[in-house]
Amino acid sequence: MRQRCLHLKKTWSGPLYVFLALILVFSACKKPSQTDEPVGSFAQVSVVSVSDISDTSAMVRAVVNDPPDPERSGICYDSLPVPSGGQFLHFKSDSGLVVRLTNLMPYVNYYVRAFTVREHDTLYGPATCFRTKDIWHEQKINSENKINHIKRDGDLLYVATGKGFYISRDGGHSWQLLGFPNENVSAFDAKGNTIFLSSNTSLHASSDGGQTWSFSATEYFNDLLIDSLRVFGIRGFRFTLFEGGLTFSSTLLDGSNLILMRSITRFENTVLAATSGKHIYRIWPQRVKLGSVGYAVPNSEPPDIDISQGMLIAARGGLYYRINDYSWQRFMQLPALSCVSADGPLIFTTSSNISSLYLSHDNGDSWQIVSNKGLPALAKIWDVMVCKSCLYVYSPQGLLYRFRL
């Protein structure tokens, strides 16, 4: 009897092992669950292009090779990287494999991919990512929120307000107070750790990036410029030079006429001033009236001319490029530009109202219109700035707006 039992064990051990092996194979090849990646062939279903992208919509074109039913094919999209859920839109047989997405959110990454429903499964194509365009957003910096001046030093963005002086190290996403919370900061300039600013009726200086401040002079300015060991300030018709503890002030004259200065900028070894007329002036090392730019408008108020990096001039008649001290070449013809800012190949220029906002990504070889959506109706623009792929404008009323590229 014992021998028979052993024989039975030997007889059934082989089929038992086979049976267990089959169970393991089938369990490893089970169908995907609802949370698994959908199966499909990328070669058969894919998004060809996403075009006509705005802040709330986009046009999606797809290809599905020999779909069994166009009305059972379409696209799914979501803000998740692999949209197997989200929103579904089916193609219509009379419009082909094209779908317009609507009711999107501004400046959001969306992922879209095509699908087609077969008899036993659904085929999905690879996900394509696109970002909707931004709209202008007002920047709330403090309770006063009145912007007097905005400048950048490398990747740092500085703002002078009616209540304090602020810095942003992340392209305007957040702001830190550097001082003077109860004073009206009218003008400033920053170069590395050196900062000069005009607050109420005093000029202050910092050599440690705004951590500590010292009184420098009893002066009030509309714009300041740090040039090596010199500091230049302008206010109306008068400019002032601070150098080596000495102060020199003078008015800017054209014959017997006083010239109202709007801003100053450095170019190579000179300091240039933009005026409310049609001329650019060199105020240092010698006061010289340079070539005229654009044309003047009688009884017009500034701003009429703006300079970026001493090279680009926005004026009535278009955008100009500096050839030399007395020669300017127009390379963009528009009726009335008033502001310009450049950061590498990016150039942003506007008129004094929101009707004309233009951006170039290639040093002015080509231009695109920037939407004014989000800016208040009939808004005026006092100045512009490009910093960390963001556009900034602020109005004479002191409101600051940001647009992300």
Side-chain angles (χ1 to χ4, degrees), residues 293-361:
V293 181
Y295 56 89
V297 176
N299 301 320
S300 64
E301 296 181 356
D304 288 331
I305 294 180
D306 192 27
I307 309 177
S308 178
Q309 299 177 354
M311 295 294 293
L312 296 171
I313 302 95
R316 297 183 182 275
L319 193 64
Y320 294 76
Y321 181 83
R322 182 183 188 275
I323 303 300
N324 54 50
D325 279 353
Y326 303 96
S327 179
W328 314 90
Q329 179 177 341
R330 183 169 63 185
F331 67 97
M332 183 184 184
Q333 183 172 355
L334 285 171
L337 295 178
S338 61
C339 307
V340 62
S341 178
D343 181 15
L346 285 174
I347 303 175
F348 180 44
T349 184
T350 73
S351 63
S352 60
N353 55 50
I354 63 173
S355 62
S356 302
L357 296 90
Y358 296 92
L359 177 69
S360 173
H361 290 268

Side-chain angles (χ1 to χ4, degrees), residues 117-243:
V117 180
R118 303 296 175 115
E119 184 177 356
H120 299 293
D121 61 6
T122 299
L123 300 181
Y124 288 87
T128 297
C129 179
F130 70 93
R131 177 184 290 169
T132 50
K133 293 184 178 180
D134 200 12
I135 62 174
W136 292 94
H137 298 274
E138 184 180 352
Q139 300 296 287
K140 297 291 186 180
I141 298 177
N142 56 30
S143 58
E144 177 75 14
N145 206 42
K146 181 180 182 299
I147 308 301
N148 294 323
H149 223 60
I150 178 172
K151 286 185 180 181
R152 61 184 292 263
D153 181 30
D155 290 335
L156 301 179
L157 190 63
Y158 295 91
V159 167
T161 76
K163 284 190 175 181
F165 181 58
Y166 290 80
I167 183 175
S168 174
R169 296 178 173 88
D170 54 11
H173 295 281
S174 61
W175 297 90
Q176 176 189 352
L177 178 68
L178 288 183
F180 310 94
N182 298 313
E183 297 187 43
N184 180 39
V185 181
S186 61
F188 69 92
D189 197 23
K191 292 293 178 291
N193 287 325
T194 301
I195 305 175
F196 279 81
L197 66 80
S198 175
S199 172
N200 290 344
T201 60
S202 301
L203 183 67
H204 301 267
S206 174
S207 59
D208 53 12
Q211 300 303 310
T212 59
W213 297 91
S214 61
F215 174 82
S216 183
T218 305
E219 295 281 351
Y220 176 82
F221 296 103
N222 296 326
D223 197 8
L224 289 167
L225 173 68
I226 301 173
D227 180 52
S228 186
L229 299 178
R230 307 177 188 89
V231 178
F232 293 86
I234 60 170
R235 181 184 179 185
F237 311 106
R238 184 173 61 89
F239 68 90
T240 302
L241 167 63
F242 300 92
E243 182 177 16

Side-chain angles (χ1 to χ4, degrees), residues 235-254:
R235 181 184 179 185
F237 311 106
R238 184 173 61 89
F239 68 90
T240 302
L241 167 63
F242 300 92
E243 182 177 16
L246 301 177
T247 301
F248 170 78
S249 295
S250 179
T251 54
L252 187 60
L253 291 169
D254 181 10

